[in-house]
């Protein structure tokens, strides 16, 4: 942590707890059961993740205490939305959330001010894009997003460009002692569209081999973006049953695709 204060926002960074993977798993299970003490321990046990992320903003001129607080908001959002069934490390999921929260703060507080109307248009476009992707299960075109927001394609492009901060695809954003996580690792691959099309057909064929209820669960979870809790409420079973059926369905699909 060279170049950073030992104490940030009243937190002695030299004495932050370091949780093992087993401790993290146990704490998260308690969090899912509504244990607020476990949630507090999990937050404290991941503050080093926030510190690791804010180091890359050392030359931005922003107050480190402010960045730490904003990064903590991103960390808490990541904890509240993390899905343990997705077989993804928490750090892999949390880093983009923390980065996004900090970048949003820095855009809104940039000395080169972007007008409120431009920011509003850009944020509406981001939300519109997410909604369209959930509805169509594909990347929407710029024209489709513009129509959804109700602006011209040119105005949409200008608004999105205004809030962008250039960054290298090969810039490391986090490492926990293993392989570093790069910006490019957080981006989807838009190359080889024909191969993607063939893979989509194979995926649908694998889904067609599932029982109707399991196929419906996979559709809602991965194509409609619903949580296990939302799926459970919709088909009137427990969240634990949804989790079990989802795992069985994914195992069946993997066996078919392999």
């Amino acid at each position: 942590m060279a170049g950073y204060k030992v104490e940030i926002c009243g937190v002695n960074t030299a004495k932050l707890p370091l949780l093992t993977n087993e401790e993290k798993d146990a704490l998260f299970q308690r969090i899912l059961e509504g244990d607020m003490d476990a949630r507090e321990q999990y937050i404290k046990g991941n503050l080093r993740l926030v510190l690791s992320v804010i180091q890359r903003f050392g030359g931005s001129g922003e107050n480190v205490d402010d960045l730490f607080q904003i990064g903590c908001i991103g960390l808490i959002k990541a904890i509240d939305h993390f899905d343990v069934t997705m077989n993804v490390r928490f750090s892999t999921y949390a880093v983009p959330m923390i980065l996004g929260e900090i970048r949003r703060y820095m855009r809104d507080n940039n000395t080169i001010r972007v007008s409120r109307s431009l920011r509003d248009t850009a944020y509406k476009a981001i939300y519109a894009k997410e909604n369209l992707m959930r509805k169509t299960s594909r990347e929407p075109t710029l024209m489709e997003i513009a129509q959804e927001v109700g602006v011209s394609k040119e105005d949409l492009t200008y608004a999105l460009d205004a809030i962008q901060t250039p960054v290298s695809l090969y810039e490391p954003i986090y490492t926990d002692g293993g392989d570093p996580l790069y910006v490019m690792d957080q981006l989807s691959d838009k190359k080889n569209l024909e191969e993607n099309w063939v893979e989509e057909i194979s995926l649908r064929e694998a889904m067609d081999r599932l029982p109707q209820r399991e196929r419906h669960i996979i559709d809602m979870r991965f194509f409609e973006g619903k949580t296990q809790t939302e799926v459970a409420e919709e088909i009137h079973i427990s969240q634990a049953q949804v989790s079990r059926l989802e795992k069985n369905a994914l195992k069946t699909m993997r066996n078919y695709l392999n």
Side-chain angles (χ1 to χ4, degrees), residues 10 17 27 40 64-66 85 91 97 158 173 175 193 195 204 226 242 248 252:
L27 282 173
E40 186 70 21
V64 69
D65 286 349
D66 292 341
T85 67
S91 60
M97 296 281 282
Y158 183 65
I173 52 179
T175 179
L193 295 181
E195 292 180 12
R204 280 297 176 182
K226 293 183 178 179
V242 171
N248 289 338
T252 300

Side-chain angles (χ1 to χ4, degrees), residues 140-149 151-154 156:
T141 65
L142 192 63
M143 181 59 73
E144 288 173 332
I145 299 172
Q147 290 174 348
E148 185 77 8
V149 176
V151 298
S152 70
K153 185 172 69 172
E154 291 74 17
L156 180 62

Side-chain angles (χ1 to χ4, degrees), residues 7-216:
E7 188 169 296
I8 299 178
C9 295
V11 176
N12 188 336
T13 59
K15 296 183 178 180
L16 287 174
L18 185 61
L19 301 176
T20 64
N21 290 331
E22 291 75 17
E23 288 172 330
K24 289 180 181 179
D25 291 342
L27 282 173
F28 211 93
Q29 186 56 48
R30 288 168 55 192
I31 292 172
L32 294 175
E33 296 168 357
D35 190 327
M36 297 307 293
D37 288 337
R39 186 171 183 270
E40 186 70 21
Q41 291 180 52
Y42 200 85
I43 292 171
K44 290 180 179 178
N46 282 280
L47 289 179
R48 291 176 182 271
L49 189 61
V50 177
L51 292 173
S52 177
V53 172
I54 67 174
Q55 285 188 69
R56 65 191 302 272
F57 296 97
S60 66
E62 295 286 346
N63 183 284
V64 69
D65 286 349
D66 292 341
L67 293 182
F68 181 73
Q69 291 183 62
I70 299 300
C72 287
I73 292 173
L75 172 64
I76 292 169
K77 286 183 177 180
I79 293 172
D80 290 343
H81 292 88
F82 184 54
D83 187 345
V84 295
T85 67
M86 295 301 292
N87 295 321
V88 174
R89 287 190 307 172
F90 176 75
S91 60
T92 302
Y93 178 80
V95 164
M97 296 281 282
I98 297 169
L99 273 171
E101 204 67 33
I102 293 173
R103 288 191 179 281
R104 191 175 302 114
Y105 164 79
M106 293 179 67
R107 284 197 301 262
D108 289 346
N109 293 274
N110 201 300
T111 52
I112 304 175
R113 296 292 178 180
V114 177
S115 73
R116 170 58 63 182
S117 61
L118 272 180
R119 284 203 304 270
D120 286 347
T121 298
Y123 295 152
K124 286 178 182 177
I126 293 170
Y127 295 138
K129 178 181 178 181
E130 292 174 354
N131 289 332
L132 287 169
M133 287 181 69
R134 279 196 292 268
K135 291 177 182 177
T136 63
S137 300
R138 63 174 175 79
E139 186 86 10
T141 65
L142 192 63
M143 181 59 73
E144 288 173 332
I145 299 172
Q147 290 174 348
E148 185 77 8
V149 176
V151 298
S152 70
K153 185 172 69 172
E154 291 74 17
D155 287 344
L156 180 62
T157 302
Y158 183 65
L160 290 173
D161 286 345
I163 65 168
Q164 296 304 310
T165 303
V167 62
S168 168
L169 291 177
Y170 296 95
E171 184 173 359
I173 52 179
Y174 176 66
T175 179
D176 58 0
D179 294 333
L181 184 67
Y182 295 97
V183 171
M184 67 182 302
D185 295 329
Q186 303 301 315
L187 303 178
S188 58
D189 185 5
K190 297 300 184 296
K191 298 184 297 181
N192 302 322
L193 295 181
E194 183 175 343
E195 292 180 12
N196 292 341
W197 177 69
V198 172
E199 289 174 3
E200 185 175 341
I201 292 176
S202 300
L203 181 61
R204 280 297 176 182
E205 288 178 351
M207 288 182 62
D208 288 341
R209 292 175 175 265
L210 298 174
Q212 183 176 358
R213 183 164 66 167
E214 292 184 15
R215 185 166 65 247
H216 187 39

